[in-house]
Amino acid sequence: MSVKSVQFAVATHLMAALGIYPGGEVGSATLAESVKANRTFVRKSLSKLSKAGLVLTTRGKSGASVLARPPKRITLLDIYRASGAPPAFAIHSYPVEKRCPVSCNLKECMSAVLSQAQKSFEKSLANITLADFIRQIRAKGH
Amino acid sequence: MSVKSVQFAVATHLMAALGIYPGGEVGSATLAESVKANRTFVRKSLSKLSKAGLVLTTRGKSGASVLARPPKRITLLDIYRASGAPPAFAIHSYPVEKRCPVSCNLKECMSAVLSQAQKSFEKSLANITLADFIRQIRAKGH
DNA sequence: ACCAAATGTGACTCTTAACATCACATATTG
DNA sequence: CAATATGTGATGTTAAGAGTCACATTTGGT
């Protein structure tokens, strides 16, 4: 029903790191060390955040990334959407048995249910700002 | 972040079919025709629903399944849980970079966020009964 | 102008987990 | 006890995410 994807968690990690790092300018190599993930993978994630307008990236020598807005004005929903994570809920793609009314209508009814579920999921993400999230990380100490 | 799984959709399909079928006793072969999925797969799904107490199954010759309770008293959350669908949201499993406070605390903070999201997702499923769902299917006609 | 060092991206491989399928155990009716 | 259900472990298949490589592109410094 869903796709195991790390995109959202990694994107959030990157955003939190950018928000916490003093000065705020961080290169992708440093970020990759923090996430301990593949550099190319991190660059790709950063690129998405950049395209979504959450991060400003400079290229060339001494290139780096900065948050495009203060953390208060970025929600986890923004990050989720930017991360390109696939929709959390999916339906099967079996053929339809035309003689069966359940089979005929299930997909339509099911996708109504799932899109409602997706909305309530997104709503809960919209209620958390990056600033909140960073505060929680700081609260746990080091 | 999630796992593409068809379990929930199939389980809902089965429950709706059992609820709609006149008399209510249906064999797994008939159900498999409606879903147009593999018979073994359907039996396994039914088995889970049975173990969860949503369905009563009789074995042996003339074996079949019936809803254990009236559709009004079954929610889609019951079905979701019974379906054994993996948690909709997951975190990566990269190692922790101990020098980085973000890396150290991310998993914990992230799983708090995700479990909250999961809860709000489940809440929206809890608000829909199987009877509601069947009504929606019927409303679409055949 | 050129080199060094960074990001951006397309292409390919590797890995994993869900689904499909098979084989057979188990249960029940007539 | 034979016929016909369901239950389930084992194994094969496959699709999608993640890892990796190669190289283009951008930009600052000498």
Side-chain angles (χ1 to χ4, degrees):
Chain A
M1 181 178 85
S2 46
V3 176
K4 197 164 274 175
S5 165
V6 166
Q7 299 289 342
F8 178 42
V10 169
T12 306
H13 190 142
L14 296 174
M15 293 295 283
L18 287 172
I20 282 188
Y21 202 82
E25 293 230 343
V26 192
S28 71
T30 307
L31 289 170
E33 275 177 36
S34 167
V35 181
K36 284 210 175 168
N38 191 273
R39 287 193 181 189
T40 302
F41 187 58
V42 168
R43 282 210 300 273
K44 281 175 183 169
S45 297
L46 266 173
S47 170
K48 285 176 195 165
L49 293 172
S50 179
K51 279 179 181 165
L54 298 182
V55 155
L56 299 176
T57 302
T58 56
R59 299 185 60 174
K61 195 171 175 176
S62 82
S65 299
V66 205
L67 293 183
R69 310 195 288 268
K72 258 190 209 174
R73 289 181 45 231
I74 299 175
T75 71
L76 294 197
L77 179 57
D78 294 330
I79 299 174
Y80 171 74
R81 288 200 168 131
S83 72
F89 312 108
I91 313 181
H92 62 75
S93 53
Y94 299 132
V96 169
E97 168 56 62
K98 289 183 185 169
R99 291 171 301 165
C100 174
V102 178
S103 186
C104 287
N105 299 318
L106 184 102
K107 276 186 195 179
E108 213 174 327
C109 291
M110 203 63 198
S111 50
V113 167
L114 292 181
S115 76
Q116 184 187 324
Q118 176 87 18
K119 268 183 202 165
S120 73
F121 153 65
E122 293 188 355
K123 204 171 178 182
S124 100
L125 288 186
N127 284 331
I128 307 173
T129 68
L130 181 57
D132 296 331
F133 193 76
I134 288 175
R135 199 174 306 126
Q136 283 169 33
I137 286 180
R138 284 217 169 95
K140 299 214 183 275
H142 188 176
Chain B
M1 180 176 89
S2 46
V3 177
K4 196 164 276 174
S5 164
V6 167
Q7 300 288 344
F8 178 42
V10 169
T12 306
H13 189 141
L14 295 174
M15 294 294 283
L18 288 172
I20 281 189
Y21 201 83
E25 293 231 342
V26 193
S28 71
T30 307
L31 289 170
E33 275 177 35
S34 167
V35 181
K36 282 208 175 172
N38 192 274
R39 287 192 181 190
T40 301
F41 186 57
V42 168
R43 281 209 301 271
K44 281 175 183 169
S45 297
L46 267 173
S47 170
K48 286 177 195 164
L49 293 171
S50 179
K51 279 179 181 165
L54 298 181
V55 154
L56 299 176
T57 303
T58 56
R59 299 183 63 174
K61 194 172 176 177
S62 83
S65 299
V66 204
L67 293 183
R69 310 195 288 267
K72 258 190 207 173
R73 289 182 44 230
I74 299 175
T75 70
L76 293 196
L77 178 57
D78 294 329
I79 300 174
Y80 171 74
R81 288 197 168 134
S83 73
F89 312 108
I91 312 182
H92 62 74
S93 54
Y94 300 131
V96 169
E97 168 55 61
K98 289 183 185 171
R99 291 170 301 165
C100 176
V102 178
S103 186
C104 287
N105 299 318
L106 184 102
K107 274 186 197 180
E108 213 175 328
C109 291
M110 203 64 197
S111 49
V113 167
L114 293 181
S115 76
Q116 184 185 324
Q118 178 88 20
K119 267 182 202 166
S120 74
F121 152 64
E122 292 187 355
K123 203 172 178 182
S124 100
L125 289 186
N127 285 330
I128 307 174
T129 68
L130 181 57
D132 296 331
F133 193 75
I134 289 175
R135 199 174 307 125
Q136 283 168 33
I137 286 180
R138 284 218 169 95
K140 299 214 184 276
H142 189 177

